[in-house]
Amino acid sequence: YFCASLGFQWVRVCKTFVPEQCVRAVKVGDYVRYHYNGMFPDGKKFDSSYDRGSTYNVFVGKKQLIAGMDKALVGMCVNQRSLVKIPPQLAYGKQGYGDIIPADSILHFDVLLLDVWNPEDGVQIKTYHTPSNCSRKVEVSDYIRYHYNGTLLDGTLFDSSHTRMRTYDTYVGIGWLIAGMDQGLLGMCVGERRIITMPPSLGYGENGDGSDIPGQASLVFDVVLLDLHNPRDGIAVTNQMVPESCTRKSVAGDFVRYHYNGSLLDGTFFDSSYSRNRTYDTYVGRGYVIAGMDEGLIGVCIGERRTVTIPPHLGYGEEGTGSKIPGSAVLVFDVHIIDFHNPSDNAVVNVTHKPEECEKKTKKGDFVKYHYNASLMDGSSIDSTYNYGKTYNVVLGANQVVPGMEVGLMDMCVGEKRHLVIPPHLGYGERGVLDEVPGSAVLVFDIELVEMEDGLPEGYMFIWNDDVSNDLFTEMDKDQNKEVEPSEFTDYIMKQVNEGKGRLAPGFDPYRIIDNMFSNQDRDGDGKITEAEFKLKADEDVSHDEL
């Protein structure tokens, strides 16, 4: 023990336990709460605060105690324990104290100091962690979410939000909290940690809370701020990256494909489109997403990255979503715009190169050969004919390519190059192509027309280059049996084509065309054509793809 005598008329104090830290020592005029056992020199107990189940609470140095105790308490620290020996002249002297303390008694006290404060004390704040970024601090009328441990000055825990596994959510500065907490939370940053110490006058006062907090108790709150907003807040948008070229920005009614990471204001992650390996696709400005995101996705460029911070009244409100998003939570979305389009959009065609000579242009029915590089709007490659070393060959107007490509290939010269942007409703639609094209994706094609062959007039699959024979049926009927067999028909048509007298529609299987022509002439379906059945297209009342 470390013992010392105080004053000429000595009080002897032996410190039996001294805390590692002594933030504050008792001074004259302070109010203290302490426990004690009072004993005579022979060890007989005459009084104990423990037996009464409550601390002894008193001002020091104001003659509310026996003189010896007034001296002994000065300089003590919270959680310090001392053995105090007080002579009679600084105790109850010759009068004693009724039947309890005889005259001229030396008194021994085993004292444990639990609390000390002064009527002039205000809220004391000690910040022990400050976040590197603090764009905003708590102000009066803000709504905040925070965790805390609440202890008495001696370290006794009386409450904790952590044990309830949910934050404490409240308005600040409008009287919803005890006065000390209302003051102590002002000026905090999200992520900041601070110790808020308050005297009972700013806490639960003379009566305590009737449960775990005794009367006249100083309170210590270890607080971490997780969230902060004001009911007047709108969304906050911070642009992280805006592409140099932005020919169009999103407007209400557009359909947007975007990736996002979603977190709470303290950085707690709650969702990501990247983890699902697919974009989030939605209409904007139409109420399909939370109000804050509906607003935050307006005015973006394709390829833009932005952070959208959404207060709870524009997010998931007081209820949250249950397990992932707590009630009254501010949401932070880091968004990357992949593409967007409008259902009214047409394909966009830009000519990037046009040859000096252009004698004829592509039209419906023409057979065209072209190269392409295909990608998404974010630059992700989909496919390229150059990888295969051969062109892509189609008949225009025959539904062999997506509608947007049909538009892009029309009125084009051989050698011409174009840049096409095709919205999904003119591309692969909502479903896309499995493992190749995402659903609702805008497509980008860079195309080059390599070769073209004139198609036939609409409705024809075969035309004559020369005058038609007046005895066509007889020429077909090689065996002169008055019936044309399929083989006779096929041989004849192929001979006309090979000799340049006739032409089949380009880009199709010639034998399938001829089979179709034969079926159209074989009107009774018996597998042969008679002279009565045989007619030229010019003689038909109904249009058929035939002679």
Side-chain angles (χ1 to χ4, degrees), residues 133-139 141-143 187-190 225 228-234 265 311:
N133 182 28
C134 180
S135 59
R136 178 173 174 178
K137 296 182 179 182
V138 176
E139 298 177 357
S141 81
D142 282 344
Y143 192 90
M188 283 193 79
C189 305
V190 171
L225 185 65
L228 159 67
H229 77 276
N230 195 283
R232 299 186 301 271
D233 287 347
L265 207 56

Side-chain angles (χ1 to χ4, degrees), residues 5-20:
S5 296
L6 307 177
F8 178 75
Q9 295 176 315
W10 53 268
V11 172
R12 188 165 180 80
V13 176
C14 295
K15 300 177 181 179
T16 59
F17 177 79
V18 178
E20 291 184 6

Side-chain angles (χ1 to χ4, degrees), residues 363-420:
K363 63 185 182 303
K364 187 175 181 180
D366 286 351
F367 182 57
V368 298
K369 298 181 180 181
Y370 64 99
H371 273 301
Y372 68 81
N373 287 316
S375 63
L376 302 178
M377 287 295 280
D378 65 349
S380 301
S381 178
I382 300 174
D383 194 15
S384 174
T385 55
Y386 297 99
N387 294 336
Y388 311 117
K390 60 181 182 180
T391 56
Y392 197 77
N393 309 330
V394 299
V395 177
L396 294 180
N399 296 321
Q400 295 177 355
V401 288
V402 295
M405 183 61 78
E406 291 270 21
V407 173
L409 287 167
M410 289 292 184
D411 296 317
M412 196 171 182
C413 307
V414 172
E416 185 175 336
K417 297 180 181 180
R418 291 180 174 181
H419 181 79
L420 311 181

Side-chain angles (χ1 to χ4, degrees), residues 197-242:
T197 305
M198 65 194 70
S201 60
L202 299 176
Y204 288 93
E206 295 181 6
N207 300 320
D209 70 345
S211 176
D212 298 312
I213 301 174
Q216 299 290 27
S218 299
L219 305 180
V220 180
F221 290 91
D222 189 342
V223 175
V224 55
L225 185 65
L226 301 183
D227 203 342
L228 159 67
H229 77 276
N230 195 283
R232 299 186 301 271
D233 287 347
I235 67 166
V237 174
T238 304
N239 290 323
Q240 306 296 345
M241 192 282 289
V242 179

Side-chain angles (χ1 to χ4, degrees), residues 72 125 129 135 159 176 184 270 300 320 347 360 364 368 386 404 452 486 494:
I125 295 171
H129 172 73
S135 59
D159 191 18
W176 284 29
F270 65 78
V300 294
K360 58 182 179 178
K364 187 175 181 180
V368 298
Y386 297 99
M452 66 174 288
M494 288 303 297

Side-chain angles (χ1 to χ4, degrees), residues 247-317:
T247 57
R248 173 178 166 185
K249 294 184 178 183
S250 60
V251 297
D254 283 344
F255 192 87
V256 180
R257 296 175 55 244
Y258 63 98
H259 271 303
Y260 70 88
N261 285 318
S263 62
L264 305 180
L265 207 56
D266 66 341
T268 302
F269 171 85
F270 65 78
D271 192 19
S272 174
S273 62
Y274 296 99
S275 64
R276 294 188 293 275
N277 200 30
R278 61 170 297 174
T279 55
Y280 192 85
D281 309 336
T282 186
Y283 287 96
V284 295
R286 293 289 185 265
Y288 285 80
V289 289
I290 56 175
M293 188 61 83
D294 234 3
E295 183 181 349
L297 292 172
I298 299 294
V300 294
C301 303
I302 291 173
E304 182 174 335
R305 295 177 184 267
R306 61 169 47 177
T307 299
V308 183
T309 304
I310 302 174
H313 54 275
L314 298 176
Y316 291 97

